[in-house]
Amino acid sequence: MSFAGSSMIDPFGRSISYLRVSVTDRCDFRCTYCMAEDMAFLPKKDLLSLEELDRLCTVFIEKGVKKLRLTGGEPLVRKNIMHLVRQLSRHLESGALEELTLTTNGSQLARFARELADCGVKRINVSLDTLDPEKFRTITRWGDLSKVMAGIEAAGAAGLKIKINAVALKGFNDSELPEMLRWAHGRGMDLTVIETMPMGEIDADRTDQYLPLSQLRADLERRFTLTDIPYKTGGPARYVEVAETGGRMGFITPLTHNFCESCNRVRLTCTGMLYMCLGQNDDADLRAPLRASEGNELLSNAIDEAIGRKPKGHDFVIDRRTSRPAVARHMSVTGG
Ligand code: SAM
Ligand code: SF4
């Protein structure tokens, strides 16, 4: 049975058209704000196969999803990930899906850029918090900046549009952001900065890392002319144009400026759990209905039931009195 033409509307009237899929919670980096060094990952036996992920995504597309982002963990370390990308690209060809994209740390991009472009991927997000190789090693614990740079180069050469995402970290990259802005815009890439979110136990204290973007923007405005623009990519960033560079800069501000009222997203984990909000614990098991029958009706009903529970918003706070993360799971489980 196909669910084509139906659409998913949550209790607050928001239409759900964007699915993010964490294809693995594993990663070849250990960014200090994202993971503890010694991480416990989801048991391999609970992983959905690539075929199961494809089936799940297909049902979401039939139910109205127009934009699909693969993320993780690091999506490009999932074994045979290109098989899934190629399978999903049929929905681009049919027109059912408007955009297939991914968020990556770039470490494996040099290997996969051309094939991604060949599968109809047009734009990708590459996470990069610093241009300094030493600082890069410190923040990612295990990463090698030269590999990421080679990945960015390869992606550009393959014709992919690249957006750089940087988590704004107090005392770490705040003073470097003007340079990163010039670097990204000089290469035709947008740069988006993100406030660090209280997800999962990490080894560091988030209060020390947290930099409100209202403060960062005020600092940048001493050097650059920033003009708000209505540009949208379907995600939560609000954009400005930077007169001096002619490029675009995005701000993702879950803490200082809540954007939940326009949320169009849900998130699927690699074990088939659906999270209706990044900042809440409520989830729905889609693996059981997926495996219970060969048809997709049970699955479709479970998705409808879950969307009917999508909460109004998150309640992230970072301050000295709130030492526990808002949600216990790490960002790598539900993806960024
Ligand atoms: N590994 C890929 C990457 O780094 O791009 C994809 C997954 S990663 C979890 C997605 C995004 O979430 C990255 O841009 C990362 O910087 C961001 N991120 C991770 N933990 C975060 C946190 N606690 N607060 C804000 N952003 C976070
Ligand atoms: Fe890995 Fe991305 Fe998390 Fe860094 S932010 S540890 S690259 S999942």
Side-chain angles (χ1 to χ4, degrees):
M1 179 174 175
S2 155
F3 306 95
S6 59
S7 67
M8 297 179 285
I9 310 282
D10 82 356
F12 302 95
R14 297 169 298 192
S15 173
I16 307 306
S17 56
Y18 186 174
L19 177 68
R20 295 194 180 186
V21 185
S22 174
V23 294
T24 173
D25 64 330
R26 286 156 203 261
C27 188
D28 51 347
F29 291 1
R30 288 288 180 278
C31 302
T32 57
Y33 52 80
C34 178
M35 295 190 181
E37 184 151 26
D38 181 18
M39 283 285 287
F41 291 108
L42 295 166
K44 274 209 167 130
K45 64 172 178 41
D46 292 345
L47 268 195
L48 296 184
S49 68
L50 295 175
E51 285 68 29
E52 286 174 319
L53 280 171
D54 176 56
R55 191 176 142 207
L56 260 171
C57 291
T58 301
V59 171
F60 272 100
I61 293 165
E62 289 179 350
K63 291 176 75 64
V65 159
K66 297 278 173 228
K67 174 166 174 171
L68 203 152
R69 177 178 299 281
L70 302 181
T71 174
E74 173 47 40
L76 297 179
V77 303
R78 171 92 197 235
K79 203 166 163 211
N80 279 336
I81 186 63
M82 289 314 299
H83 175 69
L84 177 65
V85 177
R86 196 158 289 279
Q87 286 297 109
L88 291 172
S89 71
R90 73 188 184 282
H91 299 299
L92 289 173
E93 279 159 28
S94 75
L97 188 63
E98 286 168 8
E99 185 171 22
L100 175 60
T101 182
L102 89 164
T103 302
T104 173
N105 65 22
S107 68
Q108 313 293 317
L109 205 46
R111 239 172 96 201
F112 293 117
R114 197 153 290 283
E115 206 176 343
L116 285 167
D118 192 47
C119 290
V121 173
K122 299 248 178 314
R123 301 185 311 151
I124 58 169
N125 290 354
V126 178
S127 305
L128 180 63
D129 304 317
T130 173
L131 298 173
D132 178 306
E134 294 292 311
K135 280 168 73 183
F136 185 79
R137 171 60 64 135
T138 305
I139 200 74
T140 60
R141 291 196 185 101
W142 297 357
D144 175 350
L145 182 64
S146 65
K147 289 209 174 112
V148 176
M149 290 300 181
I152 291 173
E153 188 104 340
L160 295 171
K161 284 228 34 113
I162 304 162
K163 178 160 78 79
I164 301 291
N165 279 346
V167 176
L169 298 162
K170 190 164 66 186
F172 178 77
N173 61 2
D174 35 2
S175 59
E176 212 191 320
L177 283 164
E179 185 196 339
M180 289 184 71
L181 201 58
R182 287 199 186 89
W183 171 81
H185 289 178
R187 284 160 183 77
M189 304 185 288
D190 290 352
L191 173 74
T192 290
V193 281
I194 310 173
E195 281 173 347
T196 171
M197 290 172 245
M199 301 185 62
E201 293 286 356
I202 53 171
D203 302 326
D205 179 350
R206 287 189 204 275
T207 334
D208 294 337
Q209 300 181 329
Y210 172 54
L211 174 65
L213 290 188
S214 42
Q215 195 180 315
L216 174 73
R217 181 171 172 158
D219 286 347
L220 286 173
E221 280 181 322
R222 278 193 225 113
R223 300 210 211 169
F224 298 98
T225 318
L226 309 183
T227 311
D228 291 308
I229 51 170
Y231 178 73
K232 278 268 152 216
T233 60
R238 283 172 303 127
Y239 283 89
V240 298
E241 199 165 71
V242 184
E244 289 74 7
T245 60
R248 266 190 307 251
M249 177 170 190
F251 292 84
I252 301 185
T253 54
L255 287 115
T256 53
H257 182 279
N258 187 305
F259 41 69
C260 303
E261 72 279 0
S262 59
C263 182
N264 56 356
R265 299 173 284 286
V266 288
R267 296 173 153 89
L268 184 68
T269 73
C270 58
T271 56
M273 301 305 293
L274 188 72
Y275 283 89
M276 286 69 83
C277 174
L278 185 61
Q280 300 283 357
N281 287 314
D282 193 26
D283 57 9
D285 176 14
L286 298 184
R287 190 175 49 166
L290 176 84
R291 291 185 175 169
S293 85
E294 282 188 8
N296 288 334
E297 205 162 338
L298 287 178
L299 188 54
S300 174
N301 292 343
I303 293 171
D304 288 340
E305 193 273 330
I307 301 292
R309 283 193 274 133
K310 185 168 161 67
K312 195 163 179 205
H314 65 70
D315 18 61
F316 286 142
V317 213
I318 295 185
D319 62 25
R320 296 258 167 229
R321 281 160 303 165
T322 320
S323 57
R324 308 274 316 156
V327 292
R329 64 181 192 281
H330 291 87
M331 184 74 126
S332 46
V333 172
T334 25

